[in-house]
Amino acid sequence: MEHRPGRRRGIAAIVLLVLGAVILGGVTVAKAVNPPSRYTEGKAVGWTMTPTYTNGESIYLEPVAKGKLRRGDVVLASVPWSLQKTQMNRVVAVGGDRIQYKPSSKVAGQYRLVLNGTPLDEPYLEQWKNPSAVAFNVKVPKGYVFLMADNRMNSDGSQYANNGPVPADKVTAQVVAYPMAKLAVWGQLAGALVLLLGAVLAGVARRARGRAGRAAAASAAGPAAIPAPAAAQPEPGEGGGEGAGRQAPVAAQPGPGDAQAPVGPGGRADVPS
């Protein structure tokens, strides 16, 4: 089978382009499929939960069973400090907990809330941000939750004295991480990268075919003709004609002292041995 330059790269490029299209198409179809019935899709509103959730980001909600709220849960609740019907917040403490904060104190070089006497680790906060803009020391009543947003320095919450803990029955839903949401994001990135790689390989294969075509065309044309040198022109002489200008070789004339060989019959000179 004749080997064509760029053939393998071209085949690989086609495979990658088809694979990338399949991945992106599959992700699109998967996103179009409704999530399980217990989930309700919504959109994050505002910037109170950044960097965890940004404005306009898709979120998935599920009903909250009574008494099942846990510390660290992100919830949708009807809170007195919001003009909206509901707002996203994080459950920092539940009924019976003591939560406090002193801006003048640090734990291991970092400002932290103190929950029931233990520094609270909050990896969802940006490291350079303080966990609260105000000091507080609150004992959460039974049946209540202590809510704070992740964007602590630019949001309201239970840490302010005029707000305080919120009744647990004001929590309307819990924000959950629907697996397909993250899978869709990674699928889109993977599909885009595969398509990009396929396009690059297609370009490389095209250039290889172009170089091979130009080389074949040059080979078919053959080597360049070299002009023959011009024939020597006779010098003008007397008599013209084909032999004009050419001098016949002159035979050497014997000198006076040169011995001449006798000429034999037929004009042949006999040369003594």
Side-chain angles (χ1 to χ4, degrees):
M1 182 177 181
E2 183 183 356
H3 173 71
R4 290 182 294 174
R7 175 184 174 83
R8 292 181 179 178
R9 293 191 183 97
I11 294 175
I14 293 173
V15 172
L16 289 175
L17 290 173
V18 172
L19 180 60
V22 169
I23 292 175
L24 288 179
V27 170
T28 303
V29 172
K31 289 180 66 177
V33 176
N34 291 327
S37 59
R38 71 176 186 274
Y39 293 154
T40 302
E41 188 175 0
K43 296 286 185 182
V45 178
W47 304 94
T48 60
M49 288 300 292
T50 55
T52 308
Y53 294 98
T54 57
N55 183 46
E57 183 176 348
S58 295
I59 58 175
Y60 294 88
L61 310 171
E62 68 176 357
V64 177
K66 187 176 181 179
K68 295 297 183 180
L69 289 174
R70 299 169 299 178
R71 304 179 191 94
D73 287 346
V74 178
V75 298
L76 207 62
S78 177
V79 292
W81 57 79
S82 175
L83 297 177
Q84 303 172 3
K85 292 182 180 180
T86 55
Q87 180 178 323
M88 267 204 301
N89 286 274
R90 188 179 294 275
V91 178
V92 178
V94 296
D97 289 337
R98 178 170 291 278
I99 184 75
Q100 56 186 322
Y101 176 67
K102 293 181 180 180
S104 60
S105 62
K106 287 185 178 181
V107 178
Q110 182 180 349
Y111 293 107
R112 292 189 183 183
L113 302 181
V114 177
L115 177 65
N116 299 326
T118 303
L120 183 62
D121 187 18
E122 298 184 282
Y124 39 80
L125 296 181
E126 293 185 9
Q127 295 301 315
W128 59 272
K129 288 189 176 181
N130 292 331
S132 176
V134 296
F136 59 87
N137 188 343
V138 177
K139 176 74 173 181
V140 183
K142 292 290 184 179
Y144 282 72
V145 288
F146 194 91
L147 301 178
M148 299 178 73
D150 287 357
N151 189 1
R152 301 282 171 83
M153 308 305 290
N154 296 286
S155 61
D156 216 338
S158 294
Q159 68 268 33
Y160 293 97
N162 57 333
N163 295 333
V166 176
D169 58 9
K170 294 295 185 180
V171 176
T172 59
Q174 180 180 351
V175 181
V176 296
Y178 179 50
M180 184 53 68
K182 291 185 178 180
L183 182 61
V185 173
W186 286 108
Q188 287 175 334
L189 289 176
L193 287 175
V194 171
L195 283 176
L196 178 61
L197 182 57
V200 171
L201 278 178
V204 172
R206 180 178 298 177
R207 287 194 294 271
R209 289 194 298 268
R211 287 194 297 266
R214 290 191 294 270
S219 176
I226 302 176
Q233 299 295 328
E235 295 180 1
E238 296 179 359
E242 182 179 353
R246 295 182 182 177
Q247 295 182 358
V250 179
Q253 300 295 326
D258 294 338
Q260 294 184 0
V263 179
R268 186 182 62 186
D270 294 329
V271 179
S273 56

